[in-house]
């Protein structure tokens, strides 16, 4: 029997749940279909946000020949067949799932046909294409990020799904609970609803039944739908405040919900915003822990992430570099800039090359004249910054 999520797959963009920044009146994907002017693009976002549904809705509305491929499962021969079909039809939409896993041979095969317009690519991926997709592909497509569905949007979608389930009885409390434990994954919510329906006595679903099937604790959303961001905020503030136990507690909550992407992004920010120059090695360590977590996956991913979060919480803290770059950006936005000094312009004859001088330093002005006395960087009192500032001051004290 076909899964409910497949049965309910939208045939029109107007039936898509969420993604109102892309779908709806005067939104880019809806206008593209309305004007029948399709172009190659990649959709990326978490599982269950509607990537495949949007792709299918578009091809059904446009009524253009299409093929669905998976970059992992389908081999080069499958791609060759699709290209030959496209040549016979004169045009074809090719939907490629897990496009971030497409190897170089397949990319080289597709690129000239995407370039010529013979193939219109719709790529689908859960990975950030700016990190995982070959630049040659990226340069030929538009990239759209799908947002995690809100609690309200998932409940709305579940209520529509209930119309297709014969004689179903389900209370609001159960619907809300299913939506919450889906953590923004609508497909997961639909699958859980379907399982509940299949095992329910007299098609009656209550909270007790839902929890007996899936007892995953609800961490993120509350009635105001801001619980997810509260946990992330508490995670960062616990590390910033050097409370290692609280940091590990909030990390555990995020891990139990399987929200690795949010963990990665927030850890990367903390490493440079809150720890910064007090422990410069933490940035590469965070990247190494993220790479290890991606490589081994859950549940073992908890180990490298737990180790690096412990060190982050125990590290000395400094936001000096963070404040410095923000101050510089603020000056730019306020128009407080000025001309580049002549002696450091390209091919200047009066530039003093620091490596020609003792200690590789020579006095010359680098900032524009009108802000030459500006000080963006204000050091904090920690071992690393004290040491590099000492060396910096000694270097500047040399007479040339």
């Amino acid at each position: 029997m076909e899964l409910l999520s497949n049965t309910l797959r939208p045939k029109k963009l107007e039936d898509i749940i969420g993604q109102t920044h892309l779908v709806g009146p005067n939104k880019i994907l809806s206008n593209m279909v309305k004007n029948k002017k399709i172009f190659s693009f990649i959709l990326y976002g978490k599982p269950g946000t509607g990537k495949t549904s949007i792709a299918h809705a578009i091809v059904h509305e446009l009524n253009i020949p299409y093929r669905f491929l998976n970059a992992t499962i389908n081999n080069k021969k499958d791609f060759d067949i699709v290209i030959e079909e496209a040549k016979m039809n004169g045009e074809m939409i090719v939907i490629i799932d897990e496009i971030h896993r497409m190897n170089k041979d397949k990319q080289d095969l597709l690129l000239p046909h995407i370039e010529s317009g013979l193939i219109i690519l719709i790529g689908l991926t859960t990975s950030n294409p700016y990190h995982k997709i070959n630049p040659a592909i990226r340069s030929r497509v538009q990239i759209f990020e799908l947002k995690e569905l809100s609690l309200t949007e998932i409940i709305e979608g579940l209520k529509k799904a209930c119309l297709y389930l014969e004689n179903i009885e389900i209370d609001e409390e159960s619907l809300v609970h299913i939506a919450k434990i889906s953590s923004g994954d609508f497909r997961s919510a639909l699958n859980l609803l379907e399982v509940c329906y299949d095992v329910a006595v007299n098609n009656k679903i209550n909270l007790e039944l839902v929890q007996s099937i899936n007892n995953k604790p609800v961490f993120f959303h509350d009635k105001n739908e801001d619980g997810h961001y509260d946990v992330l905020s508490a995670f960062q503030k616990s590390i910033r405040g050097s409370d290692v136990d609280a940091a590990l507690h909030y990390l555990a909550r995020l891990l139990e919900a399987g929200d690795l992407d949010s963990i990665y992004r927030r850890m990367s920010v903390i490493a440079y915003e809150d720890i910064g120059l007090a422990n410069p090695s933490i940035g590469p360590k965070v990247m190494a822990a993220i790479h290890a977590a991606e490589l081994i996956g859950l549940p073992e991913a908890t180990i490298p992430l737990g180790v690096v979060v412990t060190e982050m919480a125990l590290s000395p803290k400094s936001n000096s570099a963070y404040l410095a770059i923000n101050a510089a950006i603020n000056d730019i936005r306020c128009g407080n800039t000025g001309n580049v000094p002549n002696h450091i312009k390209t091919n200047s004859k009066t530039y003093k090359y620091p490596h020609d001088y003792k200690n590789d330093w020579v006095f010359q002005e680098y900032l524009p004249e009108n802000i030459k006395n500006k000080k963006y960087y204000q050091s904090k009192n920690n071992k690393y910054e004290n040491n590099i500032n000492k060396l910096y001051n000694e270097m500047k004290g040399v007479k040339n």
Side-chain angles (χ1 to χ4, degrees):
M1 187 175 69
E2 189 175 28
L3 289 174
L4 182 62
S5 56
N6 289 331
T7 302
L8 299 180
R9 198 174 294 286
K11 298 292 191 297
K12 297 180 179 180
L13 283 177
E14 64 186 35
D15 297 325
I16 295 292
I17 301 296
Q19 311 311 333
T20 53
H21 62 300
L22 297 173
V23 175
N26 296 319
K27 300 301 181 181
I28 186 165
L29 294 184
S30 296
N31 283 352
M32 178 187 73
V33 170
K34 180 181 177 182
N35 297 334
K36 300 188 182 301
K37 297 285 187 180
I38 189 162
F39 49 82
S40 292
F41 61 90
I42 291 174
L43 299 174
Y44 82 99
K46 290 183 178 181
T49 50
K51 299 182 293 294
T52 306
S53 293
I54 289 175
H56 276 283
I58 287 172
V59 296
H60 277 95
E61 286 203 73
L62 289 174
N63 197 29
I64 294 175
Y66 77 95
R67 289 291 178 266
F68 191 98
L69 297 173
N70 184 295
T72 303
I73 298 171
N74 293 105
N75 57 32
K76 188 171 177 288
K77 183 178 179 181
D78 296 325
F79 280 72
D80 283 326
I81 292 171
V82 166
I83 291 170
E84 290 306 311
E85 284 188 68
K87 288 177 181 177
M88 288 188 287
N89 285 294
E91 182 182 48
M92 179 170 284
I93 296 174
V94 179
I95 304 169
I96 302 181
D97 199 10
E98 297 191 75
I99 191 172
H100 62 283
R101 296 185 182 276
M102 191 163 65
N103 64 30
K104 188 175 184 301
D105 285 347
K106 295 171 185 174
Q107 289 179 36
D108 291 344
L109 189 64
L110 285 178
L111 277 172
H113 304 298
I114 296 172
E115 187 79 47
S116 69
L118 177 69
I119 284 178
I120 298 152
L121 172 68
I122 301 180
L124 312 176
T125 176
T126 55
S127 297
N128 189 327
Y130 296 102
H131 299 157
K132 298 292 181 74
I133 305 294
N134 186 298
I137 292 283
R138 288 204 315 265
S139 68
R140 291 165 172 81
V141 303
Q142 301 303 312
I143 297 174
F144 302 115
E145 180 179 8
L146 299 196
K147 297 178 180 178
E148 187 175 297
L149 272 63
S150 71
L151 186 65
T152 301
E153 289 168 339
I154 293 178
I155 293 172
E156 174 195 343
L158 290 173
K159 287 181 177 178
K160 288 182 179 178
C162 287
L163 299 175
Y164 290 83
L165 298 173
E166 188 176 355
N167 298 322
I168 187 173
E169 290 184 42
I170 184 168
D171 53 46
E172 188 76 14
E173 185 180 28
S174 299
L175 279 174
V176 170
H177 189 77
I178 291 172
K180 283 183 175 180
I181 61 178
S182 71
S183 298
D185 184 336
F186 184 52
R187 181 171 55 245
S188 172
L190 277 180
N191 290 341
L192 178 54
L193 175 67
E194 185 173 19
V195 171
C196 290
Y197 177 75
D198 288 342
V199 301
V201 176
N202 298 323
N203 302 326
K204 187 173 183 178
I205 300 172
N206 55 31
L207 185 60
E208 182 181 0
L209 175 63
V210 177
Q211 291 177 330
S212 70
I213 296 169
N214 188 325
N215 62 357
K216 177 181 174 182
V218 177
F219 293 120
F220 290 160
H221 298 99
D222 55 22
K223 63 182 180 181
N224 297 317
E225 299 184 39
D226 58 3
H228 172 59
Y229 300 101
D230 285 345
V231 174
L232 285 170
S233 175
F235 178 55
Q236 179 164 5
K237 288 170 182 172
S238 297
I239 295 176
R240 182 187 294 154
S242 301
D243 189 327
V244 64
D245 298 306
L248 290 170
H249 170 78
Y250 292 115
L251 173 64
R253 288 174 67 158
L254 293 164
L255 286 168
E256 279 297 290
D259 192 15
L260 290 175
D261 286 344
S262 291
I263 295 170
Y264 298 159
R265 287 194 295 268
R266 194 57 62 109
M267 284 171 49
S268 300
V269 169
I270 297 167
Y272 293 97
E273 177 184 344
D274 295 308
I275 300 172
L277 289 174
N279 181 5
S281 67
I282 201 66
K285 287 181 179 179
V286 166
M287 291 301 109
I290 290 172
H291 176 71
E294 282 282 271
L295 186 66
I296 60 182
L298 288 170
E300 289 86 355
T302 61
I303 301 168
L305 296 178
V307 169
V308 80
V309 165
T310 298
E311 182 176 352
M312 292 171 80
L314 296 175
S315 287
K317 308 296 189 295
S318 173
N319 67 345
S320 57
Y322 167 75
L323 294 175
I325 186 59
N326 280 352
I329 289 171
N330 186 60
D331 264 0
I332 304 304
R333 289 175 178 172
C334 292
N336 195 16
T337 54
N339 295 322
V340 174
N342 289 329
H343 57 276
I344 60 170
K345 288 182 178 178
T346 306
N347 300 323
S348 169
K349 303 298 183 183
T350 56
Y351 171 61
K352 297 178 181 178
Y353 188 57
H355 299 300
D356 289 340
Y357 296 83
K358 187 176 180 181
N359 279 20
D360 302 292
W361 186 85
V362 59
F363 176 79
Q364 61 187 330
E365 192 58 65
Y366 293 94
L367 279 169
E369 176 66 24
N370 62 313
I371 57 169
K372 66 179 182 180
N373 294 319
K374 193 78 174 184
K375 300 293 182 186
Y376 293 118
Y377 171 67
Q378 304 292 332
S379 67
K380 293 292 184 78
N381 184 21
N382 58 74
K383 186 175 180 181
Y384 184 85
E385 284 187 89
N386 288 340
N387 285 340
I388 61 172
N389 287 327
K390 180 182 177 183
L391 292 171
Y392 178 69
N393 289 330
E394 287 175 355
M395 177 182 67
K396 288 187 69 174
V398 175
K399 301 295 183 183
N400 294 284

